[in-house]
Amino acid sequence: MAKLLSKRIFTFLMVISLAVVALNLLSTVEAQNKKKPRRDVPIVKGLSWSFYQKACPKVEKIIRKELKKVFKRDIGLAAAILRIHFHDCFVQGCEGSVLLDGSASGPGEQSSIPNLTLRQGAFVVINNLRALVHKQCGQVVSCSDILALAARDSVVLSGGPDYDVPLGRRDSLAFASQNTTLNNLPPPFAKASQLITDFANRNLNITDLVALSGGHTIGIAHCPSFTDRLYPNQDPTMNKFFANNLKRTCPTANSSNTQVNDIRSPDVFDNKYYVDLMNRQGLFTSDQDLFVDKRTRGIVESFAIDQKLFFDHFAVAMIKMGQMSVLTGSQGEIRSNCSARNTGSFISVSEQGILEEALSMI
């Protein structure tokens, strides 16, 4: 009886020990996944890691709390918001011009061909975030900053890396023309050579290019954006089995159907996108050619093997991209409605005071 009791006590203690070990491992993983400030990334004059520390200290908490609710209802909006941020930054810079509706002066950027498939629901989410932030803090946080933070949280809440976002952007007073928008957004049929040159012109290197392309690990694509690889002839760089499945989804070149970007984990932000490329299952030419081109192939392979490496480089690339041609200081404005320019083009007295306070902290 004593031996049986001792055995049970020993078994109980072993279970407790294993539970403690498991909890310690979970704590370690959580600690590794916590936001790691990338203060080693240079930031442009006018932006700051603590821009709203006094004017709106809870801005990040407000945005993340709301997006958790939004993504619980529709995780697809995470990829949609991230895409809007890309499309904003690559045209006139990260200044919220893509959020503007058209006006008497002409159609807005959303009417340009590459932006026709941007989800309208995601624009509603951004404006709702603006309303929540402004209700809490007043009209002190720009729509372009809200978009940058929402893009970051879209990545995090989908399973991707957390990182700090330098803040202090101002909103543009005008949107780009249709041609300017079209000419500045990298097309899905672009080859790696074109992309390398395009990104270099924006002070983004080859590693940044491959890392930012990893944003396609979540989201969907419309058939016409990749059916040039299926019809009239199949792209030889595409896996035949994969191509046949795509043809079922897109029976014609102009089909209105959609396809997930990453067939392995379409709603999870991870490194499976690069595994897709290595298996010749990239959706766009601009995706698959990163594995075909010798200059980018090694980076694709490295990211496919090491997710942490991908996450680290993605965070750096996002911080760099998020500072492209930003408006700061007294440039632009802080919109009261993300989809429309403020009436008049002046800075209010209260806004000027907050601006001076924020700039003194830089």
Side-chain angles (χ1 to χ4, degrees), residues 185-206:
L185 290 172
F189 52 81
K191 292 281 191 176
S193 292
Q194 178 183 341
L195 294 172
I196 290 171
T197 299
D198 190 20
F199 275 60
N201 291 335
R202 293 173 164 82
N203 294 317
L204 297 171
N205 59 40
I206 293 180

Side-chain angles (χ1 to χ4, degrees), residues 60 63-72 75 78 149-162 218 267-269:
E60 296 192 41
I63 290 174
R64 184 165 296 191
K65 181 180 179 181
E66 179 63 18
L67 287 180
K68 283 181 180 178
K69 299 176 186 176
V70 170
F71 298 156
K72 190 173 183 180
I75 189 60
L149 288 170
R152 188 271 310 277
D153 287 353
S154 295
V155 170
V156 175
L157 297 175
S158 299
D162 204 345
I218 55 175
D267 294 326
V268 179
F269 197 100

Side-chain angles (χ1 to χ4, degrees), residues 130-248:
R130 187 270 315 155
L132 289 171
V133 171
H134 287 186
K135 181 180 180 181
Q136 178 75 25
C137 304
Q139 191 177 323
V140 298
V141 182
S142 67
C143 292
S144 47
D145 270 348
I146 290 171
L147 177 56
L149 288 170
R152 188 271 310 277
D153 287 353
S154 295
V155 170
V156 175
L157 297 175
S158 299
D162 204 345
Y163 55 91
D164 281 332
V165 177
L167 300 170
R169 297 168 189 78
R170 304 273 294 181
D171 298 324
S172 64
L173 300 175
F175 46 75
S177 68
Q178 300 279 284
N179 286 336
T180 298
T181 303
L182 180 62
N183 293 334
N184 279 278
L185 290 172
F189 52 81
K191 292 281 191 176
S193 292
Q194 178 183 341
L195 294 172
I196 290 171
T197 299
D198 190 20
F199 275 60
N201 291 335
R202 293 173 164 82
N203 294 317
L204 297 171
N205 59 40
I206 293 180
T207 302
D208 296 328
L209 161 62
V210 180
L212 290 173
S213 296
H216 286 165
T217 188
I218 55 175
I220 61 174
H222 292 74
C223 289
S225 63
F226 59 84
T227 48
D228 61 315
R229 302 184 68 204
L230 300 174
Y231 308 111
N233 301 307
Q234 183 190 312
D235 184 339
T237 66
M238 181 180 281
N239 178 288
K240 291 183 178 180
F241 181 75
F242 178 58
N244 288 334
N245 284 337
L246 290 180
K247 288 177 181 177
R248 295 188 186 97

Side-chain angles (χ1 to χ4, degrees), residues 253-283:
N254 294 315
S255 171
S256 60
N257 294 334
T258 60
Q259 165 69 28
V260 294
N261 288 332
D262 172 10
I263 61 173
R264 286 172 168 77
S265 51
D267 294 326
V268 179
F269 197 100
D270 55 23
N271 66 336
K272 296 300 185 291
Y273 161 83
Y274 301 102
V275 177
D276 294 339
L277 300 190
M278 291 183 67
N279 285 279
R280 298 190 297 124
Q281 295 167 328
L283 201 56

